[in-house]
Amino acid sequence: MSSPRSRSDFSRYGELQSRDLVTSAPYETAAVAMALDDAKFVDWLLERQHRDGSWGGGLAFATDRLMQTLMVLRALLALSRHGVNPSKTEDALARGIRYSVDALKRWNDREALLACDVAGFEMLVPAHWIALCGKGVNLPPLPPELEARWRQKMSSWPRALFSGRPPSHVLYIIDALEAWPDGERLTRDVAHAVDPEQLAGFSPSATAYLLRCGNVDENRAARFRLTLHNARNQDGGYASTVPMGSFILLWRMYFDVLAGLGQEDEIGRAFDNLMACHELAAGIGCNPSFEPDGDDTAVALVLAARFRRAEMARRLARSLLDRFYDAKKGFFRTYPFELTGSITTNAHIVEALRTASPFLAGDPAAADIANACRRAASYLLEGASIRDKWHVSIYYSILACVQALQEGPDAGEAASAWAEWRRRTLRQILANRRPDGGWGIHDEATGEETSYALLSLLALAPWAEQPEQIIPVVTHAISFLRSWNDNASLELWIGKGLYQPIEIVGTVIEAAQVLGERYLKQHQ
């Protein structure tokens, strides 16, 4: 584990590089390799094949492994004509195809439903399946529910796709057009409409698709290739989204403030500078030009309230209500066009609205905002501690819900429900601790998940039935974090595939360690 950052590090909030903030993914790298027809990527891809024949994150997460494997198979088939490591490539293809066949055969509709509506999975997998079948690869049929969702999504693709430049969230998965009857024409139109000096949809794979299928002139193609070159990570691969500066900075600030790291006025100035790049009424996205989402907007609102930016807090709260709240269903969406809900997005929004409530009292929409917050809190109580659609680990969901629900009503039926949820969650955390002092849903504990569990435990400690149990658990968890090797981290965040926002995870681990040590000093 790296040592805690010095105070001067907080002045560098605005200096993050656009690359190397997010781990490289075989999916993105394979897409770029195929578009550039660059055989130098073959070894990179071969080295990252898992023993079971798949590609993807270190965790064997079914949706991630299937989508990434299909994309890599396409790239290796296309690049095999260059003759790079032919025997290894042939073996990798055979094992990857076997994995894909088995994965599709054992798929079930429930898994497909859970995967749907997550960064285009239900649109991209069918596109790659169709392309591989067209190359003679014998794959089983698509799962019925997945195919149904694909047809539903493709038929309701935003109208903006058909006129002018599509919005960022459509461009992000533009490679799904490969399976669309009119996709070739639309791709050509889009390729000529986007700025070739900016990644299409801030996605290397989407940009690669436009380069490969957009039928652009050599000048524009050269500019696309240069843009892709500049987005490459130091390990030679590509991340799923570039840049993600606002997303990274907001979450670093959130955990820094939570743990009391650095000077609050210095972090506040960096926050003001970041917010000046965004249109607050629209919400906040992973960068100033990307589609705003409820999750990042909520984190910005928490920080605005903590830094006592009253007008900013009111504008962000209104954007959450106006753009992301579904009054019929009583919960907030991560994106306005999202079909399914997210536990953690709603938890972050409830936390944000509760934190900002002192600044919202005079707002004309204050009553509507308070009502939406109450309904979203009820939505959380019904589904809290369930793995979320944006993160693999249940401990990420637990922390989000703990931050939202640790303080509830003082009396009445709702107060009893919240109190029982706190006690039940605390028991769950204590019961699932591993012998090494950490937490994790996979074969071993991880530093990231241990940090979420420890932060949740510290927040719930005042409600412990046996307070004396908490100190040894915290002590053991801190010892685990001190010995944690960053290189053993898993990609647990869900985008197009699994990824890890490296800076955020490092800040989470540091915050947990600092707050844990502070707790021990206060109680020993």
Side-chain angles (χ1 to χ4, degrees):
M1 177 62 200
S2 56
S3 59
R5 287 169 285 147
S6 65
R7 180 171 297 176
S8 63
D9 286 327
F10 292 93
S11 65
R12 297 203 296 269
Y13 270 129
E15 298 177 9
L16 288 178
Q17 299 298 312
S18 62
R19 300 184 300 170
D20 298 302
L21 297 178
V22 175
T23 49
S24 297
Y27 181 96
E28 301 295 326
T29 309
V32 173
M34 187 163 63
L36 299 179
D37 192 29
D38 190 343
K40 293 194 295 292
F41 286 98
V42 169
D43 285 336
W44 193 99
L45 294 169
L46 294 178
E47 290 170 2
R48 285 159 176 80
Q49 187 175 28
H50 296 291
R51 291 182 180 180
D52 62 2
S54 68
W55 282 268
L59 187 67
F61 192 57
T63 56
D64 169 69
R65 291 287 182 89
L66 176 61
M67 190 168 79
Q68 298 214 51
T69 299
L70 294 178
M71 182 71 253
V72 175
L73 288 175
R74 293 190 62 190
L76 290 180
L77 283 170
L79 297 172
S80 61
R81 64 184 180 82
H82 293 288
V84 176
N85 286 332
S87 60
K88 289 185 178 180
T89 299
E90 184 177 348
D91 175 69
L93 283 167
R95 294 194 298 124
I97 291 171
R98 282 198 300 271
Y99 173 87
S100 301
V101 169
D102 292 341
L104 287 166
K105 283 183 176 178
R106 64 175 178 262
W107 207 265
N108 61 61
D109 283 351
R110 176 170 172 77
E111 286 177 309
L113 272 172
L114 290 174
C116 285
D117 209 34
V118 178
F121 172 88
E122 75 280 25
M123 300 175 75
L124 294 170
V125 164
H128 300 314
W129 178 89
I130 290 171
L132 285 168
C133 290
K135 293 294 184 180
V137 178
N138 188 18
L139 295 174
L142 289 171
E145 183 61 41
L146 179 57
E147 182 175 3
R149 282 295 185 95
W150 165 58
R151 295 188 183 281
Q152 176 190 2
K153 273 292 189 75
M154 291 299 286
S155 65
S156 61
W157 198 303
R159 293 184 180 276
L161 179 63
F162 299 92
S163 60
R165 178 179 173 177
S168 58
H169 67 273
V170 174
L171 286 171
Y172 186 67
I173 53 172
I174 199 71
D175 32 338
L177 278 181
E178 196 161 11
W180 187 254
D182 198 26
E184 184 176 347
R185 179 186 66 81
L186 291 169
T187 299
R188 183 176 63 250
D189 293 345
V190 171
H192 284 83
V194 300
D195 180 358
E197 296 180 2
Q198 178 178 285
L199 291 177
F202 307 98
S203 163
S205 59
T207 307
Y209 173 69
L210 293 183
L211 176 62
R212 179 167 59 87
C213 302
N215 193 23
V216 295
D217 60 55
E218 183 52 39
N219 177 60
R220 181 165 281 259
R223 293 163 72 189
F224 273 129
R225 286 192 288 268
L226 179 60
T227 299
L228 286 170
H229 173 76
N230 292 335
R232 194 173 182 180
N233 278 346
Q234 290 184 5
D235 68 356
Y238 286 84
S240 58
T241 307
V242 181
M244 296 185 75
S246 297
F247 165 69
I248 302 292
L249 288 170
L250 282 171
W251 281 101
R252 281 182 59 192
M253 292 175 184
Y254 173 88
F255 284 106
D256 283 338
V257 171
L258 179 68
L261 296 169
Q263 293 291 326
E264 187 169 298
D265 60 344
E266 192 170 2
I267 304 174
R269 287 194 297 272
F271 173 71
D272 290 339
N273 291 336
L274 179 61
M275 290 298 97
C277 300
H278 289 264
E279 183 183 347
L280 300 185
I284 310 300
C286 66
N287 64 59
S289 300
F290 202 80
E291 179 75 13
D293 65 85
D295 214 30
D296 289 329
T297 304
V299 178
L301 176 54
V302 170
L303 293 168
R306 292 293 296 267
F307 297 138
R308 297 170 294 281
R309 308 300 197 258
E311 178 58 27
M312 186 184 295
R314 284 192 287 270
R315 294 173 68 187
L316 289 169
R318 283 297 300 270
S319 72
L320 286 172
L321 181 69
D322 295 340
R323 289 180 54 83
F324 305 103
Y325 183 58
D326 186 329
K328 291 183 178 179
K329 296 190 175 181
F331 63 75
F332 290 85
R333 302 190 184 280
T334 309
Y335 294 96
F337 52 88
E338 190 178 33
L339 294 179
T340 57
S342 161
I343 288 293
T344 59
T345 292
N346 279 271
H348 295 141
I349 291 175
V350 169
E351 178 192 2
L353 294 177
R354 289 169 62 84
T355 304
S357 60
F359 305 105
L360 307 179
D363 192 284
D368 292 335
I369 293 172
N371 180 60
C373 183
R374 284 192 296 270
R375 294 186 67 191
S378 298
Y379 171 78
L380 291 182
L381 279 175
E382 294 174 4
S385 303
I386 297 175
R387 183 187 66 76
D388 192 57
K389 63 189 290 183
W390 302 119
H391 199 283
V392 172
S393 178
I394 192 174
Y395 296 107
Y396 178 81
S397 298
I398 288 175
L399 176 60
C401 292
V402 165
Q403 290 295 100
L405 301 176
Q406 60 179 302
E407 295 182 8
D410 295 327
E413 186 176 338
S416 299
W418 285 38
E420 174 55 30
W421 178 83
R422 289 193 295 262
R423 289 191 294 267
R424 185 173 66 249
T425 302
L426 185 56
R427 289 195 297 267
Q428 179 183 5
I429 294 170
L430 293 172
N432 290 318
R433 185 169 62 104
R434 293 177 178 267
D436 59 7
W439 284 265
I441 63 166
H442 194 41
D443 296 335
E444 299 177 353
T446 69
E448 181 181 354
E449 293 174 280
T450 298
S451 298
Y452 296 141
L454 177 55
L455 289 170
S456 301
L457 178 67
L458 294 171
L460 294 173
W463 292 278
E465 296 170 344
Q466 296 177 298
E468 67 277 5
Q469 288 183 331
I470 304 300
I471 289 177
V473 174
V474 173
T475 301
H476 205 181
I478 291 174
S479 177
F480 175 87
L481 291 176
R482 285 173 177 165
S483 63
W484 173 251
N485 179 5
D486 287 345
N487 295 326
S489 295
L490 291 171
E491 303 95 336
L492 298 173
W493 298 63
I494 304 172
K496 278 187 178 177
L498 295 186
Y499 71 97
Q500 181 189 119
I502 299 166
E503 292 279 345
I504 295 176
V505 172
T507 306
V508 169
I509 293 174
E510 182 183 358
Q513 191 172 338
V514 168
L515 286 176
E517 291 170 347
R518 191 175 301 158
Y519 178 87
L520 293 179
K521 288 180 180 178
Q522 294 172 349
H523 293 84
Q524 286 183 329

